Amino acid sequence: MSPFDGIRDRIERAIAHREALAEIWNNLVEKHLYDVFVDVKDDGTGTICVHPSDDLPASCALELGETLYHLRAALDGSIYQAAIIESGQDPPPHENRLEFPICSRPTEFRDSAWKIQPLSQQCRTFIESIQPYNAPKQLSPELVILNMNRSLWILNDWARKDRHRQLHVVCSWASNASPMVHFPPGVMLKSIRVSGDGFLENHREIASFRLAGYVPGMKVEANPNLMIDVAVNEIPKPAADNDTLGERLKQMVVAVRFVVGALEAIALGKAA
């Protein structure tokens, strides 16, 4: 058995809460998630809008909060356990001050040095290497989701916010809209402009269009034909279509597992 096994139990607990959130969402997508509204003016210009049919249950925010809590606790626990091994003391020196620092600027990391003071230089160097400010600068949007530095930053930011309030889990993030407009014979679609991706909160415009040959009173229908996913209305906004809440939580787990494994290898290697 490894002294880090208890920390990995935290990660498994986080995964269980993440899967519970996914199950809630998967059950919801089988229902009616939003209403569609088509508004056409007398001159033939119109808009396609959607409105969420209902709010997500409070259990979504609770499951998300528990996921973040256990992942953040696993990071702090890995610091504590590494300090025990490297110092040879249990409890380790400065036990009440130990914490995994996650910093946006080098100055913040230097100011947080006391949080990892008992650790070896090798551990401290590794911890600095995965700080958010050391994230690669030139990643393409679809690869941003795979960056561990960013995943740790989001984890830290969301977990900090969740300690003070529930995160704002909204009904869905709308993307890849390809709306279709249905109109009577003799009418033509002259143009259509699709709005950008965004949160489905309140009354959101998906597209605007212009019809030729439209006469007031004609029946016009539309299908927004978009992809939706559960989302959190907190920064950062998705960088690409694959930057979903589910994928962010998955990459947080990957990042925390990596950190725990690396600190375990360094600490036990030095102890050996």
Side-chain angles (χ1 to χ4, degrees), residues 205-225:
E205 181 179 304
I206 299 300
S208 59
F209 59 87
R210 179 180 293 275
L211 300 176
Y214 174 78
V215 176
M218 284 183 168
K219 185 177 182 180
V220 177
E221 299 177 317
N223 181 349
N225 194 28

CSV table of all heavy atoms in Angstrom, one decimal, residues 205-225:
chain,number,residue,atom,x,y,z
A,205,GLU,N,-31.3,34.9,-28.6
A,205,GLU,CA,-31.4,34.9,-30.0
A,205,GLU,C,-30.4,33.9,-30.6
A,205,GLU,O,-29.2,34.0,-30.3
A,205,GLU,CB,-31.2,36.3,-30.6
A,205,GLU,CG,-31.3,36.3,-32.1
A,205,GLU,CD,-31.1,37.7,-32.7
A,205,GLU,OE1,-31.8,38.7,-32.2
A,205,GLU,OE2,-30.2,37.9,-33.5
A,206,ILE,N,-30.9,33.0,-31.4
A,206,ILE,CA,-30.1,32.0,-32.1
A,206,ILE,C,-29.7,32.5,-33.5
A,206,ILE,O,-28.6,32.3,-34.0
A,206,ILE,CB,-30.8,30.7,-32.2
A,206,ILE,CG1,-31.1,30.2,-30.8
A,206,ILE,CG2,-30.0,29.7,-33.0
A,206,ILE,CD1,-29.9,29.9,-29.9
A,207,ALA,N,-30.6,33.2,-34.2
A,207,ALA,CA,-30.4,33.7,-35.5
A,207,ALA,C,-31.3,34.8,-35.9
A,207,ALA,O,-32.4,34.9,-35.3
A,207,ALA,CB,-30.5,32.5,-36.5
A,208,SER,N,-31.0,35.6,-36.9
A,208,SER,CA,-31.8,36.6,-37.5
A,208,SER,C,-31.9,36.3,-39.0
A,208,SER,O,-30.9,35.8,-39.6
A,208,SER,CB,-31.4,38.0,-37.2
A,208,SER,OG,-30.1,38.2,-37.7
A,209,PHE,N,-33.0,36.6,-39.6
A,209,PHE,CA,-33.2,36.3,-41.0
A,209,PHE,C,-34.0,37.3,-41.8
A,209,PHE,O,-34.6,38.2,-41.1
A,209,PHE,CB,-33.8,34.9,-41.2
A,209,PHE,CG,-35.1,34.7,-40.5
A,209,PHE,CD1,-36.3,35.1,-41.3
A,209,PHE,CD2,-35.2,34.3,-39.2
A,209,PHE,CE1,-37.5,34.9,-40.7
A,209,PHE,CE2,-36.5,34.1,-38.6
A,209,PHE,CZ,-37.6,34.5,-39.4
A,210,ARG,N,-34.0,37.2,-43.1
A,210,ARG,CA,-34.8,38.1,-43.9
A,210,ARG,C,-35.5,37.2,-45.0
A,210,ARG,O,-34.9,36.4,-45.6
A,210,ARG,CB,-34.0,39.2,-44.6
A,210,ARG,CG,-34.8,40.1,-45.5
A,210,ARG,CD,-33.9,41.2,-46.1
A,210,ARG,NE,-33.4,42.1,-45.1
A,210,ARG,CZ,-34.1,43.2,-44.7
A,210,ARG,NH1,-35.3,43.4,-45.2
A,210,ARG,NH2,-33.5,44.0,-43.8
A,211,LEU,N,-36.8,37.4,-45.1
A,211,LEU,CA,-37.6,36.7,-46.1
A,211,LEU,C,-38.1,37.6,-47.2
A,211,LEU,O,-38.4,38.8,-47.0
A,211,LEU,CB,-38.9,36.1,-45.4
A,211,LEU,CG,-38.6,35.1,-44.3
A,211,LEU,CD1,-40.0,34.6,-43.7
A,211,LEU,CD2,-37.9,33.9,-44.8
A,212,ALA,N,-38.1,37.1,-48.4
A,212,ALA,CA,-38.7,37.8,-49.6
A,212,ALA,C,-40.0,37.2,-49.9
A,212,ALA,O,-40.2,35.9,-49.9
A,212,ALA,CB,-37.7,37.7,-50.8
A,213,GLY,N,-41.0,38.0,-50.2
A,213,GLY,CA,-42.3,37.5,-50.5
A,213,GLY,C,-43.2,37.3,-49.3
A,213,GLY,O,-44.3,36.7,-49.4
A,214,TYR,N,-42.7,37.7,-48.1
A,214,TYR,CA,-43.5,37.4,-46.9
A,214,TYR,C,-44.7,38.4,-46.8
A,214,TYR,O,-44.5,39.6,-47.1
A,214,TYR,CB,-42.6,37.6,-45.7
A,214,TYR,CG,-43.4,37.5,-44.4
A,214,TYR,CD1,-43.8,36.3,-43.8
A,214,TYR,CD2,-43.7,38.7,-43.7
A,214,TYR,CE1,-44.5,36.2,-42.6
A,214,TYR,CE2,-44.4,38.6,-42.5
A,214,TYR,CZ,-44.8,37.4,-42.0
A,214,TYR,OH,-45.5,37.3,-40.8
A,215,VAL,N,-45.8,37.9,-46.4
A,215,VAL,CA,-47.0,38.7,-46.2
A,215,VAL,C,-47.4,38.6,-44.7
A,215,VAL,O,-47.5,37.5,-44.2
A,215,VAL,CB,-48.2,38.3,-47.1
A,215,VAL,CG1,-49.5,39.0,-46.8
A,215,VAL,CG2,-47.8,38.4,-48.6
A,216,PRO,N,-47.6,39.7,-44.0
A,216,PRO,CA,-48.0,39.6,-42.6
A,216,PRO,C,-49.1,38.6,-42.4
A,216,PRO,O,-50.1,38.6,-43.1
A,216,PRO,CB,-48.4,41.0,-42.3
A,216,PRO,CG,-47.6,41.9,-43.2
A,216,PRO,CD,-47.6,41.1,-44.5
A,217,GLY,N,-49.0,37.8,-41.4
A,217,GLY,CA,-50.0,36.8,-41.1
A,217,GLY,C,-49.6,35.4,-41.5
A,217,GLY,O,-50.2,34.4,-41.1
A,218,MET,N,-48.6,35.3,-42.4
A,218,MET,CA,-48.1,34.0,-42.9
A,218,MET,C,-47.5,33.2,-41.7
A,218,MET,O,-46.9,33.8,-40.8
A,218,MET,CB,-47.1,34.1,-44.0
A,218,MET,CG,-47.7,34.5,-45.4
A,218,MET,SD,-46.3,34.5,-46.6
A,218,MET,CE,-47.3,34.6,-48.1
A,219,LYS,N,-47.6,31.9,-41.8
A,219,LYS,CA,-47.1,31.0,-40.7
A,219,LYS,C,-45.6,30.7,-41.0
A,219,LYS,O,-45.3,30.1,-42.1
A,219,LYS,CB,-47.9,29.8,-40.6
A,219,LYS,CG,-47.4,28.9,-39.4
A,219,LYS,CD,-48.3,27.6,-39.3
A,219,LYS,CE,-47.9,26.8,-38.1
A,219,LYS,NZ,-48.7,25.6,-37.9
A,220,VAL,N,-44.7,31.1,-40.1
A,220,VAL,CA,-43.3,30.8,-40.3
A,220,VAL,C,-42.9,30.0,-39.0
A,220,VAL,O,-43.1,30.5,-37.9
A,220,VAL,CB,-42.5,32.1,-40.4
A,220,VAL,CG1,-41.0,31.8,-40.5
A,220,VAL,CG2,-42.9,32.9,-41.7
A,221,GLU,N,-42.2,28.9,-39.2
A,221,GLU,CA,-41.7,28.1,-38.1
A,221,GLU,C,-40.2,27.9,-38.3
A,221,GLU,O,-39.6,28.2,-39.4
A,221,GLU,CB,-42.4,26.7,-38.1
A,221,GLU,CG,-43.9,26.8,-37.9
A,221,GLU,CD,-44.5,25.4,-38.0
A,221,GLU,OE1,-44.1,24.6,-38.9
A,221,GLU,OE2,-45.3,25.1,-37.1
A,222,ALA,N,-39.5,27.5,-37.2
A,222,ALA,CA,-38.1,27.3,-37.3
A,222,ALA,C,-37.6,26.3,-36.3
A,222,ALA,O,-38.3,26.0,-35.3
A,222,ALA,CB,-37.4,28.7,-37.0
A,223,ASN,N,-36.5,25.7,-36.7
A,223,ASN,CA,-35.8,24.7,-35.8
A,223,ASN,C,-34.4,25.3,-35.6
A,223,ASN,O,-33.7,25.4,-36.5
A,223,ASN,CB,-35.7,23.3,-36.5
A,223,ASN,CG,-35.0,22.3,-35.6
A,223,ASN,OD1,-34.4,22.6,-34.6
A,223,ASN,ND2,-35.1,21.0,-36.1
A,224,PRO,N,-34.1,25.6,-34.3
A,224,PRO,CA,-32.7,26.1,-34.0
A,224,PRO,C,-31.6,25.2,-34.4
A,224,PRO,O,-30.5,25.6,-34.6
A,224,PRO,CB,-32.8,26.5,-32.6
A,224,PRO,CG,-33.8,25.6,-32.0
A,224,PRO,CD,-34.9,25.4,-33.1
A,225,ASN,N,-31.9,23.9,-34.3
A,225,ASN,CA,-30.9,22.8,-34.7
A,225,ASN,C,-29.5,23.1,-34.1
A,225,ASN,O,-28.6,23.3,-34.9
A,225,ASN,CB,-30.8,22.8,-36.3
A,225,ASN,CG,-30.1,21.5,-36.8
A,225,ASN,OD1,-30.2,20.5,-36.1
A,225,ASN,ND2,-29.5,21.6,-37.9
